[in-house]
Amino acid sequence: MKVLMFGWEFPPHISGGLGTACYGLTKGLAGLKNIDVLFVVPKMFGDEDQSIIKLKGANTVPVSKTQIEFEGTQKKMETIEIKSDIVPYLSEEDFWELKKKRFPAKTRFIQTDNGFKINFSGKYGDGLIEEIKNYALVAELIATENTFDVIHSHDWLTYPAGIAAKNKTGKPLIIHVHATEFDRSGGNINPVVYSIEREGMEMADKIIAVSNLTRNTIIEKYYIPPEKIEIVYNAVDSSPRKHNLNFRKNENEKIVTFLGRITMQKGPEYFVEAAYLVLKKMENVRFVMAGSGDKMTTMIKRVAELGIADKFHFTGFLKEDAVAEMFRLSDVCVMPSVSEPFGIVPLEAMQAGVPVIISNQSGVSEILDHAIKIDFWDTYAMADSIYGLLKYPSMSKHLKKAGKIEAGKMKWDNSAQQVSKIYRDVLIKSNVKV
């Protein structure tokens, strides 16, 4: 069985859990017999690990379209490579009039480089929607040029690409919902993003949700029939991580860590308030907020207002080796997410032998037994849990040992087996031999 899979990021160029989850799942699928995955991203940087996974960058695919800029006027003329009866020396007005006659009103014109390739950034900044549209255009070309049985699109950024591939080939489409706009925005949704998500869900032959929490959101907010949705929980990569063993902390000092994007969704403000409460009772503890995001400046200001800046540290975004080092130094890891479809960080922390505190508003709380669970808004319960783990070694020791065993059972191989079954069920329903 051949799978055409669309993602938006791939290690080491990731900004959060999406890239980590895609990498883990594709590695798991690669280990199964008779499954061949071609994983497509908008941009390949050249340093990705392709030893197990076939990777293709949309930025490497020629689309035979270009954009020309007139010197002097600085006005842009977009063209598409076709047989043309246009003669030299036409005025600009005549050209545009002729173009309107030659091409349908919905014809799209895009800018490429000299090799007719689109220069994707592969990031999440300005021009994201335009990149998503261009990605879908290239996805159609990739679908035409490759043989496959099923299409798998990860998160809303790639749904248009999956739809384009399905429309071109008629192959069944599976979309993987790692998060929804309701998780990211706290209910203040972007209608453009919502419409992309909903179209993807409606066009999909099957939907994979990363938790029951996410499944319920899809049903209640996007009005999708429950029977269309399957739950496949994420897992954790069991590969050992390298870290810098030369760094040491003070013997009697404790470190409590928040690791993730510093955004509304992740609840960083509740971590700060809990830190303030703990520091009123304990002195030999430091709090670390590892990550980056749009609320970072606000958090720095709040830490200063509370007078705990000497005990609170901001590291910025951490790469894989630095994450391993952070876990090695941590005594407690806290994930106070307001709305977390799943949450891989607690599994990574447990695997590293760090006891975790997670919010009840997270998908991972559905499957973890050896983690302390609190409501994200209950900063007193969060502070009490942190204090208890730091003050009572027996509690910490138990969660370290039991948590590590529990996380060790959550393998991507198991998730891949479930996804493989979904592929086969969809193909059987589509009357395709597998």
Side-chain angles (χ1 to χ4, degrees), residues 154-170:
H154 290 275
D155 226 40
W156 72 277
L157 301 143
T158 74
Y159 295 168
I163 292 170
K166 177 179 179 176
N167 288 340
K168 190 68 176 179
T169 65

Side-chain angles (χ1 to χ4, degrees), residues 42 91 135 198 227 318 323-324 401:
S91 70
Y135 190 37
R198 186 165 177 180
E227 61 272 16
L318 298 182
V323 168
K401 183 178 179 179

Side-chain angles (χ1 to χ4, degrees), residues 221-398:
K221 303 295 186 182
Y222 296 85
Y223 312 106
I224 302 299
E227 61 272 16
K228 193 175 182 178
I229 310 164
E230 298 286 345
I231 298 173
V232 177
Y233 289 109
N234 287 332
V236 63
D237 192 345
S238 58
S239 304
R241 289 184 168 187
K242 298 178 181 179
H243 50 68
N244 177 17
L245 295 175
N246 294 323
F247 191 84
R248 296 286 185 272
K249 64 179 179 181
N250 293 333
E251 186 175 347
N252 296 322
E253 191 170 55
K254 305 294 184 180
I255 292 180
V256 182
T257 301
F258 168 108
L259 178 66
R261 288 180 291 112
I262 307 177
T263 63
M264 178 283 303
Q265 180 189 354
K266 303 297 183 179
E269 60 267 45
Y270 303 103
F271 180 73
V272 171
E273 299 302 324
Y276 173 69
L277 294 173
V278 173
L279 287 168
K280 290 169 72 173
K281 297 288 185 179
M282 301 182 72
E283 292 185 355
N284 64 327
V285 56
R286 293 184 183 273
F287 289 82
V288 176
M289 186 166 282
S292 59
D294 59 0
K295 295 200 74 172
M296 187 170 183
T297 300
T298 303
M299 294 303 99
I300 292 172
K301 288 180 179 178
R302 182 57 180 156
V303 165
E305 289 172 358
L306 293 172
I308 59 174
D310 60 328
K311 294 287 188 176
F312 206 106
H313 306 273
F314 295 87
T315 69
F317 179 79
L318 298 182
K319 294 186 177 181
E320 188 175 358
D321 55 345
V323 168
E325 177 72 356
M326 193 69 253
F327 283 142
R328 186 183 69 83
L329 297 171
S330 298
D331 296 280
V332 179
C333 179
V334 184
M335 188 186 75
S337 296
V338 174
S339 181
E340 186 71 57
F342 185 76
I344 291 178
V345 167
L347 297 184
E348 294 177 330
M350 291 165 69
Q351 187 183 57
V354 182
V356 299
I357 301 168
I358 59 177
S359 72
N360 289 314
Q361 292 73 29
S362 62
V364 73
S365 68
E366 298 171 13
I367 59 173
L368 286 183
D369 294 322
H370 298 97
I372 297 177
K373 303 171 188 178
I374 47 93
D375 291 316
F376 72 86
W377 45 263
D378 195 342
T379 53
Y380 283 92
M382 194 185 305
D384 284 343
S385 299
I386 294 170
Y387 181 84
L389 287 171
L390 297 180
K391 196 72 174 177
Y392 303 106
S394 58
M395 181 190 299
S396 177
K397 184 178 180 180
H398 168 71

Side-chain angles (χ1 to χ4, degrees), residues 62 86 92 114 152 177-178 276 306 315 330 338 343 389 415 425:
I86 297 176
E92 192 173 343
N114 291 334
H152 189 156
V177 183
H178 296 265
Y276 173 69
L306 293 172
T315 69
S330 298
V338 174
L389 287 171
S415 301
D425 290 346

Side-chain angles (χ1 to χ4, degrees), residues 7 15 40 47 51 59 68 75-76 120 125 137 147 150 168 179 222 224 290 300 348:
S15 64
V40 183
D47 56 350
S51 59
N59 63 314
I68 301 170
K75 291 185 178 179
K76 295 175 181 178
F120 290 94
L137 184 151
T147 302
V150 66
K168 190 68 176 179
Y222 296 85
I224 302 299
I300 292 172
E348 294 177 330

